[in-house]
Amino acid sequence: MIRFTLISRAGDGLPLVATMESQRDEEEIAAHKKMSKSIIKILGPEGSLTGRQAVAQDAGSISADEFTFHYINDSGIIFLALCHHRYPRVLAFAFLDELVNAFLAELTGAGAQNTRVNAVRRPYSFIRFEPTIQSIKKRYENTHRLRPNGDLADLSARVTNIPVYQVTDVLGPSVSITSGMHVS
């Protein structure tokens, strides 16, 4: 199950839009939401300078206890989804591919996409896109009745080449999953 989605600008990690969760869900994933911001910073252009394990900049998965972060970096925008660790990777990336296409189509329909994203100064400036994220996410809740927009066989072949990391390798060994913060 997809639990949380965050779309951020790659250059500085500024969050453009994120899904809002119910209070019960929010409490369960609060630490992972904090981690997502650190992951976004590592995926940005300065991320490889942190001294931790280098991560693939275009796509990857990061395991964090009972959840996994899946991400795609496209057109200077990072699309990140937090999923339960048992949720199929191919469906997580199908969801992200669909999200990338919908977001970029909305930006392109409104004019030059990179200019609009780069001009944003306030976090969550694209919150109006959140209902679109929720509708795509809802389609991916029932995996047995799902009809993804893309070719799953092709995507499955691509996903096998997408690297998987451990959160402690990416954020450092002092990361506490329960708090989402570094332990001193």
Side-chain angles (χ1 to χ4, degrees):
M1 169 177 243
I2 301 165
R3 302 301 302 272
F4 171 69
T5 307
L6 175 65
I7 301 174
S8 295
R9 186 166 52 199
D12 59 3
L14 182 76
L16 302 173
V17 61
T19 52
M20 292 180 256
E21 310 306 323
S22 69
Q23 184 65 31
R24 182 181 62 85
D25 289 344
E26 185 70 32
E27 291 168 3
E28 185 179 350
I29 63 171
H32 289 81
K33 285 178 77 172
K34 288 179 187 175
M35 272 190 258
S36 70
K37 293 175 184 171
S38 297
I39 290 169
I40 292 288
K41 286 193 183 348
I42 286 172
L43 295 175
E46 305 298 319
S48 60
L49 304 177
T50 62
R52 296 190 178 87
Q53 176 177 337
V55 294
Q57 297 295 310
D58 55 346
S61 298
I62 302 170
S63 295
D65 208 19
E66 75 268 18
F67 295 106
T68 302
F69 295 96
H70 302 283
Y71 65 88
I72 293 176
N73 188 343
D74 190 313
S75 302
I77 303 167
I78 299 169
F79 300 82
L80 183 133
L82 176 68
C83 303
H84 191 272
H85 77 280
R86 289 194 178 123
Y87 193 76
R89 281 183 83 213
V90 69
L91 293 182
F93 281 99
F95 166 76
L96 286 171
D97 276 348
E98 199 168 324
L99 196 61
V100 167
N101 293 334
F103 190 76
L104 295 180
E106 182 167 304
L107 286 179
T108 304
Q113 68 188 38
N114 286 342
T115 304
R116 285 194 56 212
V117 169
N118 291 335
V120 169
R121 299 286 176 240
R122 291 186 342 223
Y124 305 104
S125 292
F126 290 90
I127 196 67
R128 70 183 180 286
F129 188 72
E130 201 262 346
T132 303
I133 297 172
Q134 291 291 5
S135 70
I136 295 169
K137 180 178 159 185
K138 188 167 186 64
R139 287 193 27 249
Y140 282 82
E141 283 178 1
N142 186 345
T143 58
H144 299 293
R145 295 184 352 174
L146 178 65
R147 303 248 188 277
N149 286 347
D151 177 14
L152 281 183
D154 176 54
L155 184 59
S156 183
R158 284 188 319 168
V159 166
T160 59
N161 295 321
I162 295 175
V164 180
Y165 307 97
Q166 295 299 315
V167 72
T168 53
D169 294 335
V170 175
L171 297 180
S174 61
V175 154
S176 167
I177 301 284
T178 55
S179 70
M181 304 307 292
H182 291 279
V183 179
S184 298

